[in-house]
Each structure stands twice: as structure tokens, then as C-alpha cells.
Amino acid sequence: MKPVKALLATLLITAGLAGCASTNTTSSGYTTMDKSAQALMLAKIKPAVSEVSLSGDRSSKNDAFVQMVAEANVKRTVNDIKAKSPVLKAMADAGEIKIVVAMLDVKTGAVTRY
């Protein structure tokens, strides 16, 4: 039996963080050659920056842009989970589990589910 199935979980919540420092930093185009955990996290978020279509201020000074980056990133994460875990994808496709996308606003504590 696969470990995920053994847990008997029926819900997988993938939550992004609206207003988190990593999203703000990546949105401003910060890059580093450092291989620290933070640098690796920034590298994971960077593709979401490219996916956001927005003319104008594409920096962390633009709250709307940062929010769009955070949303794009959490949606990418769900797609990555399905692509990299055939067990979870099969369970989701069969209706055995539900994968939920949500955003947590770190300033207010509010959770928005997509």
C-alpha cells in the first residue's frame, strides 16, 4: 500500500501565502547564486513571475502584481504535485481525494479557496 493511501487522507490543501517575503523578493527580480534554502525557494517561485501577464509595475511595490504571482505559484504547485506524484493524480482523478488550492493572507489571516 502506498504511504498516501495508508493515511486515509481525503483532502490535500495546497496553500500559497499572500504577502510573504519570498514572493515579494522574487517579484522584484531578486536573484542569487547562493544555494541556501531561501535561494532554492526563490528559484521555485520565479517561473510564476514569468507567467503573470501585467504591463506596468512588475515589482514588490505593486501589491496586485505580488498577489498574482502568489496565485500563479500555488496553482503551479498543484500542477507539479499531479505531474510528479502519479499516486496522488490517480487518487484525485478517481475522486478518492480532493486537491484544494487556497491562499493565506499573512497580514490578515484570511484564507481564500479557489
Side-chain angles (χ1 to χ4, degrees), residues 51-73:
E51 289 178 6
V52 173
S53 299
L54 178 73
S55 58
D57 185 6
R58 293 176 57 89
S59 76
S60 61
K61 294 177 184 172
N62 182 346
D63 290 341
F65 175 64
V66 172
Q67 180 66 26
M68 287 190 272
V69 170
E71 290 173 10
N73 187 59

Side-chain angles (χ1 to χ4, degrees), residues 34-55:
D34 183 11
K35 296 298 181 192
S36 68
Q38 182 181 12
L40 295 173
M41 187 182 317
L42 296 178
K44 291 270 188 189
I45 297 171
K46 192 171 183 176
V49 175
S50 301
E51 289 178 6
V52 173
S53 299
L54 178 73
S55 58

Side-chain angles (χ1 to χ4, degrees), residues 20 33 47 61 87 91 96 99 103 110:
C20 82
M33 296 303 290
K61 294 177 184 172
V87 172
M91 290 175 72
E96 295 174 24
I99 301 175
M103 291 296 299

Side-chain angles (χ1 to χ4, degrees), residues 12-16 44 51 70-86 88-90 92-93 97-103 113-114:
L12 173 63
I13 300 173
T14 304
K44 291 270 188 189
E51 289 178 6
E71 290 173 10
N73 187 59
V74 75
K75 290 173 185 174
R76 284 180 56 80
T77 300
V78 169
N79 290 335
D80 286 349
I81 289 168
K82 290 179 180 179
K84 293 177 181 178
S85 176
L88 290 176
K89 183 180 182 331
D93 291 347
I97 64 167
K98 185 170 183 172
I99 301 175
V100 176
V101 178
M103 291 296 299
R113 186 176 142 196
Y114 296 93

